[in-house]
Amino acid sequence: MNEKNILVVGIFVVDLSFKAKKLPSPGETIIGENYIIGPGGKGSNQAVAISRAGGKVSLIARIGDDHFADIGLNLYQKENVNTEGLIIAKGENTGSAAISVDKNGMNSIIVVPGAASGIDKSVIEEKIDMFNDSSLLLTGYEIPLEVTNHSLNLAKKKGLRTILNPAPYFENDKEVFKLVDYLTPNEHEASSLTKVSVKNIDDARLAGQKICELGVGTSVITLGEKGVLCTRGVDDQDGLYFPSFKIKDEVIDTVGAGDVFNGAFATGISEGMSLEYALEFANKAASLSVRKAGAALSAPYRNQF
Ligand code: RIB
């Protein structure tokens, strides 16, 4: 096992991101201010964030063989992401996401995974050596759930630590949570999972305990501008709370901030940082990322932390 390698199983898509004063309401057309086309997909964003935070990272993902796929391949070469786990599906289209961003940097997203949705358990089996070569798995819910669950099972069998970012939220088999060392929902995902409406830190304390009751080792609920609440097991009533890291610059774009948090947190844990320090490290990385537009490319480099 490589003590430091982090394995990400997720998706790559190209984000088409449009900035306007406000998000359009259903049936409404509005005139925007600018748009960017850039790399996205939660797993891919996390992999780039890991590498920029100083981690060693490999990505298992399925892309098409089109111009959008080239955006991913160029990104990984530049950002030092190991691509042994990439499947290039001949004749298929790489996925894309339509993103609206308002003047406060808030967003709404439709993601169409495209070729990424064709990943199945056989791909994970084909790439089994990458599990042998890693010490930590980071995965989420943009890939089919059976692939997420299979990856978590395999990771645990092979002694890897596991981080599950349950985004976007889906109902999953509750047994799966016993395979999760760190669960990192945002407030919406934590609310859906626990049925506690998470609006403040006390709600997050309650939700965090319910998450641990499912068998998760440590719950890390991200609360956007309110910070992060971490619950270290069922008996941890108070949890560890970190307010969001204050930055001088204005918030430009929150797209991908959660991915940057997850990537930096995985890096910290894999480096052997204490839980407290890894949370602060991730909190700071996520806060720095909202100063820049875009998803993957908004992740800070380690020397900017
Ligand atoms: O978390 C942000 C990401 O979610 C975007 O890059 C978009 O592609 C969607 O996957």
Side-chain angles (χ1 to χ4, degrees):
M1 182 188 290
N2 181 322
E3 287 307 325
K4 289 279 155 62
N5 196 66
I6 300 168
L7 180 62
V8 179
V9 183
I11 75 166
F12 167 78
V13 299
V14 170
D15 289 350
L16 312 177
S17 184
F18 300 86
K19 180 128 191 173
K21 284 200 173 56
K22 63 175 202 110
L23 303 179
S25 305
E28 188 184 24
T29 300
I30 56 176
I31 303 289
E33 289 160 7
N34 56 57
Y35 70 91
I36 51 173
I37 301 175
K42 294 184 196 302
S44 175
N45 296 342
Q46 290 160 359
V48 171
I50 290 167
S51 184
R52 288 189 174 192
K56 189 163 177 277
V57 63
S58 311
L59 174 66
I60 296 181
R62 194 171 185 276
I63 57 176
D65 67 348
D66 49 4
H67 173 59
F68 276 7
D70 293 340
I71 295 177
L73 295 171
N74 292 334
L75 174 77
Y76 302 139
Q77 195 176 20
K78 182 164 172 279
E79 300 291 346
N80 218 3
V81 173
N82 181 319
T83 54
E84 273 166 61
L86 275 193
I87 304 284
I88 300 176
K90 289 260 166 302
E92 292 189 35
N93 291 325
T94 303
S96 185
I99 304 182
S100 306
V101 181
D102 74 10
K103 66 175 185 335
N104 299 317
M106 291 313 292
N107 63 74
S108 63
I109 303 178
I110 297 177
V111 56
V112 178
S117 57
I119 193 169
D120 59 19
K121 288 202 261 184
S122 71
V123 171
I124 303 302
E125 290 299 323
E126 196 185 307
K127 303 293 178 188
I128 202 158
D129 283 349
M130 299 181 74
F131 285 75
N132 296 330
D133 288 344
S134 303
S135 61
L136 193 152
L137 170 76
L138 169 58
T139 191
Y141 283 172
E142 280 189 328
I143 49 174
L145 276 190
E146 60 160 22
V147 180
T148 307
N149 297 350
H150 190 63
S151 303
L152 288 166
N153 255 303
L154 203 55
K156 269 292 138 208
K157 269 195 202 125
K158 292 187 173 289
L160 279 70
R161 277 180 295 174
T162 56
I163 303 177
L164 174 62
N165 176 227
Y169 183 76
F170 288 100
E171 285 287 325
N172 197 356
D173 176 358
K174 295 281 185 285
E175 287 297 303
V176 167
F177 294 107
K178 297 181 182 152
L179 305 168
V180 177
D181 293 314
Y182 304 93
L183 191 83
T184 57
N186 65 18
E187 65 269 51
H188 307 292
E189 293 141 9
S191 301
S192 304
L193 176 60
T194 63
K195 315 289 181 241
V196 174
S197 170
V198 180
K199 298 220 168 58
N200 56 40
I201 298 146
D202 280 338
D203 301 334
R205 288 192 171 99
L206 185 57
Q209 281 188 287
K210 287 193 181 286
I211 286 170
C212 292
E213 280 165 14
L214 292 170
V216 166
T218 301
S219 159
V220 177
I221 302 179
T222 55
L223 300 158
E225 61 189 12
K226 294 194 194 78
V228 185
L229 193 278
C230 170
T231 308
R232 298 153 292 179
V234 281
D235 297 328
D236 185 11
Q237 290 187 352
D238 293 340
L240 288 170
Y241 171 66
F242 296 91
S244 64
F245 182 79
K246 295 288 170 248
I247 50 165
K248 283 188 263 120
D249 313 86
E250 66 169 320
V251 174
I252 303 289
D253 179 345
T254 57
V255 178
D259 304 332
V260 170
F261 181 92
N262 275 277
F265 181 63
T267 307
I269 294 294
S270 128
E271 279 185 15
M273 287 179 193
S274 67
L275 179 60
E276 288 84 346
Y277 194 64
L279 288 165
E280 279 189 58
F281 183 75
N283 211 8
K284 186 165 184 185
S287 298
L288 290 172
S289 77
V290 304
R291 297 180 312 175
K292 279 183 79 178
L297 300 182
S298 68
Y301 289 94
R302 181 77 168 240
N303 62 8
Q304 299 170 320
F305 276 47

